[in-house]
PDB file of all heavy atoms in Angstrom:
ATOM      1  N   GLY A 172      68.681 151.818  80.347  1.00  0.00           N
ATOM      2  CA  GLY A 172      67.589 151.780  81.330  1.00  0.00           C
ATOM      3  C   GLY A 172      68.171 151.507  82.677  1.00  0.00           C
ATOM      4  O   GLY A 172      69.370 151.421  82.856  1.00  0.00           O
ATOM      5  N   ASP A 173      67.358 151.251  83.662  1.00  0.00           N
ATOM      6  CA  ASP A 173      67.751 150.986  85.048  1.00  0.00           C
ATOM      7  C   ASP A 173      66.667 150.196  85.765  1.00  0.00           C
ATOM      8  O   ASP A 173      65.717 149.768  85.155  1.00  0.00           O
ATOM      9  CB  ASP A 173      68.263 152.175  85.808  1.00  0.00           C
ATOM     10  CG  ASP A 173      67.259 153.282  85.920  1.00  0.00           C
ATOM     11  OD1 ASP A 173      65.993 152.890  85.958  1.00  0.00           O
ATOM     12  OD2 ASP A 173      67.532 154.473  85.973  1.00  0.00           O
ATOM     13  N   GLN A 174      66.909 150.062  87.124  1.00  0.00           N
ATOM     14  CA  GLN A 174      65.969 149.254  87.927  1.00  0.00           C
ATOM     15  C   GLN A 174      64.612 149.862  87.938  1.00  0.00           C
ATOM     16  O   GLN A 174      63.563 149.195  88.064  1.00  0.00           O
ATOM     17  CB  GLN A 174      66.475 149.176  89.395  1.00  0.00           C
ATOM     18  CG  GLN A 174      67.777 148.299  89.514  1.00  0.00           C
ATOM     19  CD  GLN A 174      67.329 146.839  89.467  1.00  0.00           C
ATOM     20  OE1 GLN A 174      66.261 146.406  89.359  1.00  0.00           O
ATOM     21  NE2 GLN A 174      68.409 145.931  89.749  1.00  0.00           N
ATOM     22  N   GLN A 175      64.483 151.207  87.814  1.00  0.00           N
ATOM     23  CA  GLN A 175      63.244 151.846  87.895  1.00  0.00           C
ATOM     24  C   GLN A 175      62.603 152.122  86.514  1.00  0.00           C
ATOM     25  O   GLN A 175      61.377 152.416  86.454  1.00  0.00           O
ATOM     26  CB  GLN A 175      63.337 153.175  88.589  1.00  0.00           C
ATOM     27  CG  GLN A 175      63.573 153.150  90.116  1.00  0.00           C
ATOM     28  CD  GLN A 175      64.885 152.643  90.573  1.00  0.00           C
ATOM     29  OE1 GLN A 175      65.905 153.133  89.965  1.00  0.00           O
ATOM     30  NE2 GLN A 175      65.038 151.773  91.533  1.00  0.00           N
ATOM     31  N   SER A 176      63.345 151.976  85.413  1.00  0.00           N
ATOM     32  CA  SER A 176      62.873 152.272  84.090  1.00  0.00           C
ATOM     33  C   SER A 176      61.807 151.199  83.688  1.00  0.00           C
ATOM     34  O   SER A 176      61.950 150.070  84.024  1.00  0.00           O
ATOM     35  CB  SER A 176      64.027 152.343  83.076  1.00  0.00           C
ATOM     36  OG  SER A 176      64.917 153.300  83.503  1.00  0.00           O
ATOM     37  N   LYS A 177      60.957 151.671  82.816  1.00  0.00           N
ATOM     38  CA  LYS A 177      60.012 150.690  82.088  1.00  0.00           C
ATOM     39  C   LYS A 177      60.591 150.468  80.630  1.00  0.00           C
ATOM     40  O   LYS A 177      60.055 149.504  80.025  1.00  0.00           O
ATOM     41  CB  LYS A 177      58.662 151.297  82.036  1.00  0.00           C
ATOM     42  CG  LYS A 177      58.023 151.391  83.477  1.00  0.00           C
ATOM     43  CD  LYS A 177      56.564 151.834  83.486  1.00  0.00           C
ATOM     44  CE  LYS A 177      56.014 151.873  84.831  1.00  0.00           C
ATOM     45  NZ  LYS A 177      54.605 152.384  84.804  1.00  0.00           N
ATOM     46  N   THR A 178      61.414 151.279  80.148  1.00  0.00           N
ATOM     47  CA  THR A 178      61.955 151.068  78.807  1.00  0.00           C
ATOM     48  C   THR A 178      63.535 150.981  78.913  1.00  0.00           C
ATOM     49  O   THR A 178      64.114 151.389  79.789  1.00  0.00           O
ATOM     50  CB  THR A 178      61.536 152.219  77.858  1.00  0.00           C
ATOM     51  OG1 THR A 178      62.043 153.497  78.370  1.00  0.00           O
ATOM     52  CG2 THR A 178      60.042 152.301  77.708  1.00  0.00           C
ATOM     53  N   GLY A 179      64.054 150.457  77.823  1.00  0.00           N
ATOM     54  CA  GLY A 179      65.535 150.318  77.835  1.00  0.00           C
ATOM     55  C   GLY A 179      65.960 148.864  77.852  1.00  0.00           C
ATOM     56  O   GLY A 179      65.173 147.901  78.010  1.00  0.00           O
ATOM     57  N   LEU A 180      67.266 148.646  77.756  1.00  0.00           N
ATOM     58  CA  LEU A 180      67.792 147.275  77.658  1.00  0.00           C
ATOM     59  C   LEU A 180      67.534 146.511  78.946  1.00  0.00           C
ATOM     60  O   LEU A 180      67.101 145.349  78.874  1.00  0.00           O
ATOM     61  CB  LEU A 180      69.317 147.375  77.369  1.00  0.00           C
ATOM     62  CG  LEU A 180      70.005 146.199  76.646  1.00  0.00           C
ATOM     63  CD1 LEU A 180      69.309 145.952  75.339  1.00  0.00           C
ATOM     64  CD2 LEU A 180      71.392 146.493  76.517  1.00  0.00           C
ATOM     65  N   PHE A 181      67.885 147.008  80.031  1.00  0.00           N
ATOM     66  CA  PHE A 181      67.730 146.227  81.285  1.00  0.00           C
ATOM     67  C   PHE A 181      66.327 145.851  81.609  1.00  0.00           C
ATOM     68  O   PHE A 181      65.974 144.682  81.952  1.00  0.00           O
ATOM     69  CB  PHE A 181      68.388 147.015  82.505  1.00  0.00           C
ATOM     70  CG  PHE A 181      68.263 146.237  83.771  1.00  0.00           C
ATOM     71  CD1 PHE A 181      68.894 144.976  83.904  1.00  0.00           C
ATOM     72  CD2 PHE A 181      67.519 146.723  84.798  1.00  0.00           C
ATOM     73  CE1 PHE A 181      68.656 144.267  85.091  1.00  0.00           C
ATOM     74  CE2 PHE A 181      67.328 145.986  85.987  1.00  0.00           C
ATOM     75  CZ  PHE A 181      67.913 144.793  86.143  1.00  0.00           C
ATOM     76  N   PRO A 182      65.340 146.752  81.482  1.00  0.00           N
ATOM     77  CA  PRO A 182      63.949 146.337  81.770  1.00  0.00           C
ATOM     78  C   PRO A 182      63.533 145.190  80.952  1.00  0.00           C
ATOM     79  O   PRO A 182      62.878 144.271  81.341  1.00  0.00           O
ATOM     80  CB  PRO A 182      63.132 147.622  81.442  1.00  0.00           C
ATOM     81  CG  PRO A 182      64.119 148.712  81.756  1.00  0.00           C
ATOM     82  CD  PRO A 182      65.407 148.275  81.250  1.00  0.00           C
ATOM     83  N   ARG A 183      63.973 145.168  79.643  1.00  0.00           N
ATOM     84  CA  ARG A 183      63.650 144.016  78.732  1.00  0.00           C
ATOM     85  C   ARG A 183      64.285 142.726  79.194  1.00  0.00           C
ATOM     86  O   ARG A 183      63.652 141.756  79.228  1.00  0.00           O
ATOM     87  CB  ARG A 183      64.176 144.352  77.319  1.00  0.00           C
ATOM     88  CG  ARG A 183      63.370 145.337  76.471  1.00  0.00           C
ATOM     89  CD  ARG A 183      64.012 145.613  75.160  1.00  0.00           C
ATOM     90  NE  ARG A 183      64.485 144.503  74.518  1.00  0.00           N
ATOM     91  CZ  ARG A 183      65.450 144.518  73.597  1.00  0.00           C
ATOM     92  NH1 ARG A 183      66.026 145.697  73.306  1.00  0.00           N
ATOM     93  NH2 ARG A 183      65.835 143.437  73.013  1.00  0.00           N
ATOM     94  N   LEU A 184      65.559 142.834  79.685  1.00  0.00           N
ATOM     95  CA  LEU A 184      66.196 141.721  80.258  1.00  0.00           C
ATOM     96  C   LEU A 184      65.558 141.235  81.564  1.00  0.00           C
ATOM     97  O   LEU A 184      65.403 139.994  81.794  1.00  0.00           O
ATOM     98  CB  LEU A 184      67.687 141.949  80.451  1.00  0.00           C
ATOM     99  CG  LEU A 184      68.529 142.158  79.191  1.00  0.00           C
ATOM    100  CD1 LEU A 184      69.881 142.639  79.576  1.00  0.00           C
ATOM    101  CD2 LEU A 184      68.565 140.978  78.359  1.00  0.00           C
ATOM    102  N   LYS A 185      65.205 142.163  82.384  1.00  0.00           N
ATOM    103  CA  LYS A 185      64.577 141.922  83.637  1.00  0.00           C
ATOM    104  C   LYS A 185      63.295 140.983  83.514  1.00  0.00           C
ATOM    105  O   LYS A 185      63.037 140.146  84.327  1.00  0.00           O
ATOM    106  CB  LYS A 185      64.302 143.167  84.425  1.00  0.00           C
ATOM    107  CG  LYS A 185      63.964 142.998  85.857  1.00  0.00           C
ATOM    108  CD  LYS A 185      63.798 144.420  86.499  1.00  0.00           C
ATOM    109  CE  LYS A 185      63.306 144.295  87.972  1.00  0.00           C
ATOM    110  NZ  LYS A 185      63.154 145.630  88.541  1.00  0.00           N
ATOM    111  N   ALA A 186      62.599 141.334  82.429  1.00  0.00           N
ATOM    112  CA  ALA A 186      61.268 140.658  82.215  1.00  0.00           C
ATOM    113  C   ALA A 186      61.527 139.160  81.946  1.00  0.00           C
ATOM    114  O   ALA A 186      60.624 138.307  82.116  1.00  0.00           O
ATOM    115  CB  ALA A 186      60.550 141.291  81.041  1.00  0.00           C
ATOM    116  N   HIS A 187      62.787 138.921  81.494  1.00  0.00           N
ATOM    117  CA  HIS A 187      63.151 137.455  81.288  1.00  0.00           C
ATOM    118  C   HIS A 187      64.057 136.836  82.351  1.00  0.00           C
ATOM    119  O   HIS A 187      64.792 135.899  82.058  1.00  0.00           O
ATOM    120  CB  HIS A 187      63.860 137.336  79.861  1.00  0.00           C
ATOM    121  CG  HIS A 187      62.986 137.772  78.727  1.00  0.00           C
ATOM    122  ND1 HIS A 187      62.066 136.842  78.150  1.00  0.00           N
ATOM    123  CD2 HIS A 187      62.889 138.880  77.985  1.00  0.00           C
ATOM    124  CE1 HIS A 187      61.522 137.400  77.091  1.00  0.00           C
ATOM    125  NE2 HIS A 187      61.853 138.700  76.989  1.00  0.00           N
ATOM    126  N   ASN A 188      64.015 137.571  83.487  1.00  0.00           N
ATOM    127  CA  ASN A 188      64.882 137.120  84.657  1.00  0.00           C
ATOM    128  C   ASN A 188      66.338 136.987  84.219  1.00  0.00           C
ATOM    129  O   ASN A 188      67.110 136.106  84.628  1.00  0.00           O
ATOM    130  CB  ASN A 188      64.404 135.758  85.094  1.00  0.00           C
ATOM    131  CG  ASN A 188      64.864 135.526  86.615  1.00  0.00           C
ATOM    132  OD1 ASN A 188      64.953 136.427  87.373  1.00  0.00           O
ATOM    133  ND2 ASN A 188      65.193 134.266  86.787  1.00  0.00           N
ATOM    134  N   CYS A 189      66.757 138.058  83.504  1.00  0.00           N
ATOM    135  CA  CYS A 189      68.195 137.986  82.948  1.00  0.00           C
ATOM    136  C   CYS A 189      68.830 139.314  83.461  1.00  0.00           C
ATOM    137  O   CYS A 189      68.238 140.377  83.545  1.00  0.00           O
ATOM    138  CB  CYS A 189      68.096 138.112  81.439  1.00  0.00           C
ATOM    139  SG  CYS A 189      69.761 137.835  80.688  1.00  0.00           S
ATOM    140  N   SER A 190      70.165 139.240  83.829  1.00  0.00           N
ATOM    141  CA  SER A 190      70.897 140.294  84.429  1.00  0.00           C
ATOM    142  C   SER A 190      71.751 140.958  83.309  1.00  0.00           C
ATOM    143  O   SER A 190      72.068 140.348  82.331  1.00  0.00           O
ATOM    144  CB  SER A 190      71.859 139.788  85.515  1.00  0.00           C
ATOM    145  OG  SER A 190      70.974 139.211  86.520  1.00  0.00           O
ATOM    146  N   LEU A 191      72.148 142.234  83.657  1.00  0.00           N
ATOM    147  CA  LEU A 191      73.084 142.954  82.773  1.00  0.00           C
ATOM    148  C   LEU A 191      74.291 143.411  83.471  1.00  0.00           C
ATOM    149  O   LEU A 191      74.161 144.021  84.578  1.00  0.00           O
ATOM    150  CB  LEU A 191      72.284 144.203  82.252  1.00  0.00           C
ATOM    151  CG  LEU A 191      73.076 145.158  81.373  1.00  0.00           C
ATOM    152  CD1 LEU A 191      73.468 144.415  79.958  1.00  0.00           C
ATOM    153  CD2 LEU A 191      72.177 146.373  80.987  1.00  0.00           C
ATOM    154  N   LEU A 192      75.474 143.072  82.945  1.00  0.00           N
ATOM    155  CA  LEU A 192      76.717 143.499  83.544  1.00  0.00           C
ATOM    156  C   LEU A 192      77.492 144.256  82.488  1.00  0.00           C
ATOM    157  O   LEU A 192      77.727 143.875  81.347  1.00  0.00           O
ATOM    158  CB  LEU A 192      77.534 142.229  83.940  1.00  0.00           C
ATOM    159  CG  LEU A 192      78.900 142.465  84.603  1.00  0.00           C
ATOM    160  CD1 LEU A 192      78.711 143.280  85.895  1.00  0.00           C
ATOM    161  CD2 LEU A 192      79.642 141.226  84.753  1.00  0.00           C
ATOM    162  N   LEU A 193      77.908 145.451  82.946  1.00  0.00           N
ATOM    163  CA  LEU A 193      78.718 146.399  82.060  1.00  0.00           C
ATOM    164  C   LEU A 193      80.134 146.414  82.522  1.00  0.00           C
ATOM    165  O   LEU A 193      80.451 146.485  83.717  1.00  0.00           O
ATOM    166  CB  LEU A 193      78.146 147.841  82.135  1.00  0.00           C
ATOM    167  CG  LEU A 193      76.624 147.979  81.899  1.00  0.00           C
ATOM    168  CD1 LEU A 193      76.126 149.428  82.263  1.00  0.00           C
ATOM    169  CD2 LEU A 193      76.241 147.644  80.528  1.00  0.00           C
ATOM    170  N   ILE A 194      81.062 146.244  81.468  1.00  0.00           N
ATOM    171  CA  ILE A 194      82.518 146.385  81.849  1.00  0.00           C
ATOM    172  C   ILE A 194      82.949 147.721  81.385  1.00  0.00           C
ATOM    173  O   ILE A 194      82.692 148.203  80.269  1.00  0.00           O
ATOM    174  CB  ILE A 194      83.295 145.242  81.137  1.00  0.00           C
ATOM    175  CG1 ILE A 194      82.902 143.954  81.697  1.00  0.00           C
ATOM    176  CG2 ILE A 194      84.784 145.521  81.293  1.00  0.00           C
ATOM    177  CD1 ILE A 194      83.571 142.790  81.013  1.00  0.00           C
ATOM    178  N   SER A 195      83.685 148.462  82.224  1.00  0.00           N
ATOM    179  CA  SER A 195      84.111 149.790  81.966  1.00  0.00           C
ATOM    180  C   SER A 195      85.595 150.034  82.258  1.00  0.00           C
ATOM    181  O   SER A 195      86.112 149.453  83.187  1.00  0.00           O
ATOM    182  CB  SER A 195      83.288 150.870  82.651  1.00  0.00           C
ATOM    183  OG  SER A 195      83.607 152.126  82.358  1.00  0.00           O
ATOM    184  N   HIS A 196      86.263 150.887  81.408  1.00  0.00           N
ATOM    185  CA  HIS A 196      87.696 151.210  81.714  1.00  0.00           C
ATOM    186  C   HIS A 196      87.731 152.303  82.779  1.00  0.00           C
ATOM    187  O   HIS A 196      86.899 153.194  82.792  1.00  0.00           O
ATOM    188  CB  HIS A 196      88.379 151.680  80.388  1.00  0.00           C
ATOM    189  CG  HIS A 196      88.365 150.580  79.346  1.00  0.00           C
ATOM    190  ND1 HIS A 196      88.852 149.321  79.512  1.00  0.00           N
ATOM    191  CD2 HIS A 196      87.958 150.590  78.001  1.00  0.00           C
ATOM    192  CE1 HIS A 196      88.631 148.612  78.414  1.00  0.00           C
ATOM    193  NE2 HIS A 196      88.229 149.338  77.540  1.00  0.00           N
ATOM    194  N   GLN A 197      88.806 152.223  83.582  1.00  0.00           N
ATOM    195  CA  GLN A 197      89.147 153.306  84.536  1.00  0.00           C
ATOM    196  C   GLN A 197      90.187 154.068  83.856  1.00  0.00           C
ATOM    197  O   GLN A 197      91.332 153.553  83.476  1.00  0.00           O
ATOM    198  CB  GLN A 197      89.635 152.697  85.790  1.00  0.00           C
ATOM    199  CG  GLN A 197      89.976 153.710  86.866  1.00  0.00           C
ATOM    200  CD  GLN A 197      90.217 153.064  88.131  1.00  0.00           C
ATOM    201  OE1 GLN A 197      89.345 152.467  88.802  1.00  0.00           O
ATOM    202  NE2 GLN A 197      91.533 153.030  88.576  1.00  0.00           N
ATOM    203  N   LYS A 198      90.031 155.307  83.615  1.00  0.00           N
ATOM    204  CA  LYS A 198      91.010 156.202  82.851  1.00  0.00           C
ATOM    205  C   LYS A 198      91.925 156.915  83.819  1.00  0.00           C
ATOM    206  O   LYS A 198      91.493 157.603  84.737  1.00  0.00           O
ATOM    207  CB  LYS A 198      90.227 157.237  82.088  1.00  0.00           C
ATOM    208  CG  LYS A 198      91.045 158.051  81.123  1.00  0.00           C
ATOM    209  CD  LYS A 198      90.193 158.969  80.280  1.00  0.00           C
ATOM    210  CE  LYS A 198      91.104 159.786  79.326  1.00  0.00           C
ATOM    211  NZ  LYS A 198      90.201 160.740  78.520  1.00  0.00           N
ATOM    212  N   ASP A 199      93.204 156.779  83.522  1.00  0.00           N
ATOM    213  CA  ASP A 199      94.184 157.423  84.395  1.00  0.00           C
ATOM    214  C   ASP A 199      94.363 158.838  83.821  1.00  0.00           C
ATOM    215  O   ASP A 199      94.534 159.141  82.600  1.00  0.00           O
ATOM    216  CB  ASP A 199      95.587 156.743  84.337  1.00  0.00           C
ATOM    217  CG  ASP A 199      95.496 155.440  85.074  1.00  0.00           C
ATOM    218  OD1 ASP A 199      94.698 155.268  85.973  1.00  0.00           O
ATOM    219  OD2 ASP A 199      96.218 154.536  84.663  1.00  0.00           O
ATOM    220  N   MET A 200      94.395 159.834  84.701  1.00  0.00           N
ATOM    221  CA  MET A 200      94.424 161.235  84.333  1.00  0.00           C
ATOM    222  C   MET A 200      95.701 161.881  84.999  1.00  0.00           C
ATOM    223  O   MET A 200      96.113 161.456  86.059  1.00  0.00           O
ATOM    224  CB  MET A 200      93.255 162.077  84.777  1.00  0.00           C
ATOM    225  CG  MET A 200      91.952 161.428  84.269  1.00  0.00           C
ATOM    226  SD  MET A 200      91.645 161.563  82.460  1.00  0.00           S
ATOM    227  CE  MET A 200      91.379 163.340  82.350  1.00  0.00           C
ATOM    228  N   VAL A 201      96.256 162.934  84.347  1.00  0.00           N
ATOM    229  CA  VAL A 201      97.432 163.565  84.961  1.00  0.00           C
ATOM    230  C   VAL A 201      97.118 165.058  85.115  1.00  0.00           C
ATOM    231  O   VAL A 201      96.666 165.751  84.158  1.00  0.00           O
ATOM    232  CB  VAL A 201      98.697 163.353  84.133  1.00  0.00           C
ATOM    233  CG1 VAL A 201      99.847 164.214  84.725  1.00  0.00           C
ATOM    234  CG2 VAL A 201      99.017 161.908  84.035  1.00  0.00           C
ATOM    235  N   ASP A 202      97.264 165.661  86.354  1.00  0.00           N
ATOM    236  CA  ASP A 202      97.057 167.033  86.619  1.00  0.00           C
ATOM    237  C   ASP A 202      98.357 167.673  87.012  1.00  0.00           C
ATOM    238  O   ASP A 202      99.133 166.981  87.751  1.00  0.00           O
ATOM    239  CB  ASP A 202      95.979 167.251  87.723  1.00  0.00           C
ATOM    240  CG  ASP A 202      94.573 167.382  87.154  1.00  0.00           C
ATOM    241  OD1 ASP A 202      94.465 167.376  85.984  1.00  0.00           O
ATOM    242  OD2 ASP A 202      93.702 167.557  87.992  1.00  0.00           O
ATOM    243  N   SER A 203      98.627 168.884  86.477  1.00  0.00           N
ATOM    244  CA  SER A 203      99.938 169.525  86.965  1.00  0.00           C
ATOM    245  C   SER A 203      99.567 170.294  88.259  1.00  0.00           C
ATOM    246  O   SER A 203      98.707 171.095  88.308  1.00  0.00           O
ATOM    247  CB  SER A 203     100.385 170.515  85.862  1.00  0.00           C
ATOM    248  OG  SER A 203     100.763 169.775  84.689  1.00  0.00           O
ATOM    249  N   VAL A 204     100.386 169.988  89.322  1.00  0.00           N
ATOM    250  CA  VAL A 204     100.222 170.661  90.582  1.00  0.00           C
ATOM    251  C   VAL A 204     101.556 171.248  90.933  1.00  0.00           C
ATOM    252  O   VAL A 204     102.574 170.590  91.293  1.00  0.00           O
ATOM    253  CB  VAL A 204      99.757 169.609  91.663  1.00  0.00           C
ATOM    254  CG1 VAL A 204      99.596 170.400  92.985  1.00  0.00           C
ATOM    255  CG2 VAL A 204      98.448 168.952  91.198  1.00  0.00           C
ATOM    256  N   GLY A 205     101.670 172.568  90.825  1.00  0.00           N
ATOM    257  CA  GLY A 205     102.982 173.229  90.967  1.00  0.00           C
ATOM    258  C   GLY A 205     104.038 172.668  89.978  1.00  0.00           C
ATOM    259  O   GLY A 205     103.784 172.754  88.701  1.00  0.00           O
ATOM    260  N   THR A 206     105.106 172.079  90.484  1.00  0.00           N
ATOM    261  CA  THR A 206     106.144 171.623  89.584  1.00  0.00           C
ATOM    262  C   THR A 206     106.100 170.104  89.421  1.00  0.00           C
ATOM    263  O   THR A 206     106.920 169.507  88.742  1.00  0.00           O
ATOM    264  CB  THR A 206     107.505 171.919  90.098  1.00  0.00           C
ATOM    265  OG1 THR A 206     107.637 171.395  91.491  1.00  0.00           O
ATOM    266  CG2 THR A 206     107.771 173.455  90.191  1.00  0.00           C
ATOM    267  N   SER A 207     105.060 169.471  90.006  1.00  0.00           N
ATOM    268  CA  SER A 207     104.953 168.033  89.925  1.00  0.00           C
ATOM    269  C   SER A 207     103.622 167.661  89.200  1.00  0.00           C
ATOM    270  O   SER A 207     102.653 168.442  89.171  1.00  0.00           O
ATOM    271  CB  SER A 207     105.017 167.365  91.263  1.00  0.00           C
ATOM    272  OG  SER A 207     103.998 167.822  92.092  1.00  0.00           O
ATOM    273  N   ASN A 208     103.591 166.439  88.760  1.00  0.00           N
ATOM    274  CA  ASN A 208     102.294 165.853  88.097  1.00  0.00           C
ATOM    275  C   ASN A 208     101.597 164.923  89.117  1.00  0.00           C
ATOM    276  O   ASN A 208     102.241 164.066  89.660  1.00  0.00           O
ATOM    277  CB  ASN A 208     102.647 165.087  86.818  1.00  0.00           C
ATOM    278  CG  ASN A 208     103.095 166.033  85.758  1.00  0.00           C
ATOM    279  OD1 ASN A 208     102.713 167.187  85.721  1.00  0.00           O
ATOM    280  ND2 ASN A 208     104.029 165.552  84.861  1.00  0.00           N
ATOM    281  N   LEU A 209     100.294 165.102  89.209  1.00  0.00           N
ATOM    282  CA  LEU A 209      99.563 164.292  90.071  1.00  0.00           C
ATOM    283  C   LEU A 209      98.778 163.244  89.294  1.00  0.00           C
ATOM    284  O   LEU A 209      97.956 163.590  88.347  1.00  0.00           O
ATOM    285  CB  LEU A 209      98.615 165.113  90.954  1.00  0.00           C
ATOM    286  CG  LEU A 209      97.590 164.330  91.838  1.00  0.00           C
ATOM    287  CD1 LEU A 209      98.383 163.592  92.959  1.00  0.00           C
ATOM    288  CD2 LEU A 209      96.625 165.281  92.495  1.00  0.00           C
ATOM    289  N   LEU A 210      98.967 162.002  89.531  1.00  0.00           N
ATOM    290  CA  LEU A 210      98.249 160.918  88.749  1.00  0.00           C
ATOM    291  C   LEU A 210      97.092 160.477  89.550  1.00  0.00           C
ATOM    292  O   LEU A 210      97.150 160.135  90.681  1.00  0.00           O
ATOM    293  CB  LEU A 210      99.200 159.723  88.475  1.00  0.00           C
ATOM    294  CG  LEU A 210      98.702 158.522  87.818  1.00  0.00           C
ATOM    295  CD1 LEU A 210      98.259 158.878  86.327  1.00  0.00           C
ATOM    296  CD2 LEU A 210      99.619 157.335  87.878  1.00  0.00           C
TER     297      LEU A 210
END
């Protein structure tokens, strides 16, 4: 859910004055550009 949703996890928490924090990984990618790799 989100701030505008009426259903979902966050709207349920919002009704109880409770916040939701998500932790996410940042993924490192490598692209080949010519003869070198771009990270």
Side-chain angles (χ1 to χ4, degrees):
D173 57 31
Q174 292 280 4
Q175 285 75 42
S176 301
K177 294 184 178 180
T178 59
L180 205 58
F181 179 64
R183 283 173 48 201
L184 292 174
K185 189 177 178 182
H187 295 278
N188 201 35
C189 190
S190 300
L191 176 63
L192 180 63
L193 308 170
I194 295 178
S195 182
H196 299 307
Q197 180 172 294
K198 187 177 181 182
D199 291 332
M200 309 288 289
V201 177
D202 269 358
S203 294
V204 181
T206 58
S207 61
N208 291 329
L209 176 66
L210 178 67

